[in-house]
């Protein structure tokens, strides 16, 4: 098991920016992806972005392409999600997780989530 701890959520006006962080410990992330997912009330969990351990490969969900950027630090223990041009529809609880692919079923280790609220 690994520990995944999200931070950086909060309230922001539409058009603003937030930077989320996912700190990991307990197990190496080598050969795994770290993914960001989000879930809004009444909706299913949605894929946002993922990054490989090396950081050389990233993938984004269609709804955030061009606005969000995923990255990791040099130690490869913290993954960031830089969110710009935020929209009210980005409002959700954001989760980071360790696993593989672009669906939630591919991820076994999850953080507790951080709330992002975007006002119009």
């Amino acid at each position: 098991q690994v520990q995944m701890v999200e931070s950086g959520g909060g309230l922001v006006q539409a058009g603003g920016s937030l930077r989320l962080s996912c700190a990991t410990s307990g197990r190496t992330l080598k050969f795994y992806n770290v993914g960001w997912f989000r879930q809004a009330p009444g909706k299913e969990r949605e894929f946002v972005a993922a990054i490989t351990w090396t950081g050389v490969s990233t993938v984004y969900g269609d709804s955030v392409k061009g606005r969000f950027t995923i990255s990791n630090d040099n130690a490869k223990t913290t993954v960031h999600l830089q969110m710009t041009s935020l929209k009210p529809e980005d409002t959700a609880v954001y989760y980071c997780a360790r696993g593989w692919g672009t669906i939630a079923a591919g991820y076994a280790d999850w953080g507790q989530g951080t709330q992002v609220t975007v006002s119009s």
Side-chain angles (χ1 to χ4, degrees):
Q1 294 285 326
V2 300
Q3 288 74 53
M4 319 286 289
V5 181
E6 304 95 336
S7 62
L11 279 70
V12 64
Q13 292 190 20
S17 300
L18 284 173
R19 184 175 184 256
L20 306 184
S21 297
C22 175
T24 69
S25 63
R27 296 279 297 276
T28 181
L29 297 176
K30 193 173 183 179
F31 307 126
Y32 289 87
N33 294 347
V34 173
W36 285 96
F37 294 78
R38 65 187 184 185
Q39 189 163 22
K43 296 185 178 180
E44 295 185 349
R45 192 161 295 187
E46 177 188 17
F47 173 75
V48 176
I51 189 168
T52 61
W53 177 79
T54 62
V56 301
S57 181
T58 59
V59 63
Y60 297 90
D62 290 341
S63 63
V64 305
K65 288 178 180 177
R67 299 189 297 120
F68 292 8
T69 302
I70 190 170
S71 62
N72 59 1
D73 63 6
N74 291 334
K76 301 180 176 63
T77 57
T78 302
V79 174
H80 306 284
L81 185 70
Q82 180 67 49
M83 307 186 295
T84 62
S85 301
L86 283 163
K87 306 174 182 179
E89 50 264 44
D90 295 318
T91 296
V93 177
Y94 284 70
Y95 301 88
C96 67
R98 187 188 73 152
W100 193 256
T102 59
I103 61 174
Y107 291 78
D109 301 297
W110 293 81
Q112 294 298 309
T114 186
Q115 177 71 47
V116 172
T117 302
V118 184
S119 62
S120 60

